[in-house]
Amino acid sequence: MNKLIEKAKKLHLLSKSEIIEILKDNFLNNELFQAADEVRKEFVGDEIHLRALIEFSNICKQNCFYCGVRAENKNIDRFRLNKEDIIELAENALNNGYKTIVMQSAEDVYFNAERLAEIIKEIKKHDTAITLSIGERTYEEYKILKEAGADRFLLRIETTDKELYKKLHPNMDYENRIRCLKDLKKLGYETGTGCLVGLPGQTLESLAGDILFFKELDADMIGLGPLIPHKDTPLRDYKADSFWLSLKVMAIVRLLMPDINIPATTAMETIQGNGRILALQSGANVVMPNVTEETERKKYEIYPGKTSIDYTELEEKFKAIGRTISQNKGYRKKDNL
Ligand code: 5AD
């Protein structure tokens, strides 16, 4: 086996230059994916955790250059689900066997902590974990949401390259995003972050920096995927060709953070046929099927061509690769390290 991959597999440590070396060398890919698959099996097993994703608002105050729901995009129908609809979608998902509800929205100020807390409390009357993915908030807001019963939070750093971050996120502040992630950890959320792969101007060095940042933060979940250019954004002319690179970044994350939860992201499936299965065989152990109604799902177009799939169909596909759907809530298992 390649020395670096062997080291990563055994010690779960790599330096920045070693990560760059692996990212550069495409002859190593199969070995890398296989090593990540083995580490996944050893540390988190063959069970796949499903998270039911509810997209409840695409009304956004931010203007991220890559994102189709950015505030300046006028070519989009905006929607906001009401409390009852969100709760109903969650209850349907729980009836269908899901054990975790992910409430995701754009940065919509209407959904302040008090409004969200009411919804969380209602859903938490059922036996479920709740993950929030609603963007940057204050410590006090995160605290209210945690006390209402939220268990986990997803907030991708998107890129740790500060210059690039600034270019792609007008009027946003890198330091504030870091503050958010630290607050979430402090408050006891299982904290997820991640990055986009294939951003204009992004280097292998900056991706290596992203990976080391995830480890340093001791993130509980890492979600990452390729950039898929959206026609109504400033990145419309950019190429979507980062599937393999994002798979490599994901596999290295698995080697370095053996016990965390890693989703096979929708972006991976969208850009490459069978991308979800390839990801599940290269380190991933989580899938987040979208359970939003079709009409809203179409409007939640972060990037074009977003795929969707149902529970039964997934179960079949997992079975074919020797994997099962987990019947528990799928918290990070720290105790087997
Ligand atoms: N292509 C791929 N992923 C995207 N995201 C936003 N826009 C795009 C795009 N065009 C990702 C961001 C965000 C997550 C919800 O979706 O990383 O954190």
Side-chain angles (χ1 to χ4, degrees), residues 16-155:
K16 195 169 194 177
S17 58
E18 289 171 334
I19 296 174
I20 295 170
E21 211 174 312
I22 297 177
L23 288 175
K24 251 194 215 153
D25 188 347
N26 282 327
F27 289 107
L28 294 178
N29 288 8
N30 284 338
E31 237 184 274
L32 170 66
F33 300 148
Q34 199 185 332
D37 195 43
E38 285 165 18
V39 168
R40 184 271 309 156
K41 191 176 173 75
E42 183 187 341
F43 284 83
V44 295
D46 284 333
E47 288 191 340
I48 293 171
H49 301 287
L50 293 186
R51 324 291 200 194
L53 179 68
I54 300 174
E55 294 156 340
F56 62 92
S57 168
N58 69 354
I59 297 173
C60 202
K61 65 172 185 186
Q62 304 291 13
N63 254 311
C64 309
F65 265 44
Y66 41 79
C67 185
V69 309
R70 64 202 304 274
E72 275 175 23
N73 181 11
K74 302 285 180 263
N75 202 4
I76 177 180
D77 276 343
R78 301 285 172 174
F79 75 91
R80 181 184 281 147
L81 297 185
N82 63 35
K83 178 181 164 186
E84 290 69 33
D85 288 341
I86 299 171
I87 294 166
E88 193 184 325
L89 283 173
E91 287 176 345
N92 286 344
L94 296 173
N95 287 335
N96 284 326
Y98 291 98
K99 312 285 177 204
T100 294
I101 303 297
V102 183
M103 292 172 57
Q104 183 170 78
S105 72
E107 291 206 13
D108 181 353
V109 288
Y110 169 84
F111 282 107
N112 58 24
E114 287 69 28
R115 287 195 170 110
L116 287 168
E118 271 183 44
I119 301 169
I120 292 166
K121 281 182 194 153
E122 205 55 44
I123 299 175
K124 283 296 276 194
K125 288 183 180 161
H126 303 276
D127 181 27
T128 182
I130 293 186
T131 308
L132 298 176
S133 175
I134 55 168
E136 297 181 11
R137 301 286 171 122
T138 62
Y139 179 86
E140 287 68 32
E141 288 175 291
Y142 287 148
K143 186 158 183 270
I144 292 170
L145 298 168
K146 185 79 181 57
E147 284 167 0
D151 304 277
R152 310 187 182 123
F153 203 105
L154 307 175
L155 184 75

Side-chain angles (χ1 to χ4, degrees), residues 66-68 104 156 158 195-196 226-230 267 302-303:
Y66 41 79
C67 185
Q104 183 170 78
R156 289 187 181 175
E158 313 294 0
C195 61
L196 279 163
L227 170 75
I228 305 177
H230 187 291
I302 303 173
Y303 47 81

Side-chain angles (χ1 to χ4, degrees), residues 104-330:
Q104 183 170 78
S105 72
E107 291 206 13
D108 181 353
V109 288
Y110 169 84
F111 282 107
N112 58 24
E114 287 69 28
R115 287 195 170 110
L116 287 168
E118 271 183 44
I119 301 169
I120 292 166
K121 281 182 194 153
E122 205 55 44
I123 299 175
K124 283 296 276 194
K125 288 183 180 161
H126 303 276
D127 181 27
T128 182
I130 293 186
T131 308
L132 298 176
S133 175
I134 55 168
E136 297 181 11
R137 301 286 171 122
T138 62
Y139 179 86
E140 287 68 32
E141 288 175 291
Y142 287 148
K143 186 158 183 270
I144 292 170
L145 298 168
K146 185 79 181 57
E147 284 167 0
D151 304 277
R152 310 187 182 123
F153 203 105
L154 307 175
L155 184 75
R156 289 187 181 175
I157 190 71
E158 313 294 0
T159 175
T160 56
D161 184 326
K162 289 188 192 174
E163 280 309 302
L164 185 56
Y165 186 91
K166 209 166 159 185
K167 280 189 200 147
L168 296 171
H169 304 99
N171 302 319
M172 286 172 73
D173 174 15
Y174 181 81
E175 296 308 326
N176 190 50
R177 210 159 178 87
I178 300 282
R179 190 271 307 157
C180 288
L181 288 167
K182 297 210 161 130
D183 283 354
L184 292 164
K185 287 226 79 161
K186 214 183 297 165
L187 285 163
Y189 283 94
E190 280 209 335
T191 305
T193 188
C195 61
L196 279 163
V197 178
L199 292 165
Q202 190 178 40
T203 60
L204 295 185
E205 184 179 0
S206 97
L207 286 169
D210 294 350
I211 296 170
L212 291 176
F213 168 79
F214 304 155
K215 190 160 168 76
E216 191 190 309
L217 180 74
D218 188 26
D220 302 298
M221 313 172 272
I222 292 297
L224 58 90
L227 170 75
I228 305 177
H230 187 291
K231 66 172 178 25
D232 299 316
T233 67
L235 301 191
R236 63 182 65 85
D237 295 327
Y238 215 69
K239 267 222 206 91
D241 59 0
S242 303
F243 175 80
W244 293 104
L245 184 56
S246 60
L247 203 65
K248 292 185 75 169
V249 173
M250 192 199 75
I252 295 172
V253 169
R254 171 59 75 200
L255 293 179
L256 300 191
M257 305 176 78
D259 69 333
I260 66 166
N261 283 317
I262 301 180
T265 55
T266 308
M268 287 183 171
E269 176 73 7
T270 302
I271 188 179
Q272 170 91 24
N274 212 34
R276 184 186 292 115
I277 295 293
L278 288 170
L280 289 169
Q281 294 180 308
S282 309
N285 70 321
V286 170
V287 173
M288 298 165 66
N290 198 313
V291 300
T292 320
E293 297 289 338
E294 180 95 6
T295 34
E296 279 82 27
R297 195 188 303 160
K298 286 213 174 106
K299 294 178 191 164
Y300 202 89
E301 201 187 64
I302 303 173
Y303 47 81
K306 261 172 49 186
T307 60
S308 65
I309 188 160
D310 69 29
Y311 198 102
T312 331
E313 211 178 323
L314 278 172
E315 201 162 24
E316 288 303 309
K317 289 197 180 229
F318 295 165
K319 221 168 114 188
I321 57 165
R323 309 277 281 276
T324 54
I325 293 181
S326 166
Q327 294 306 313
N328 62 48
K329 298 191 190 75

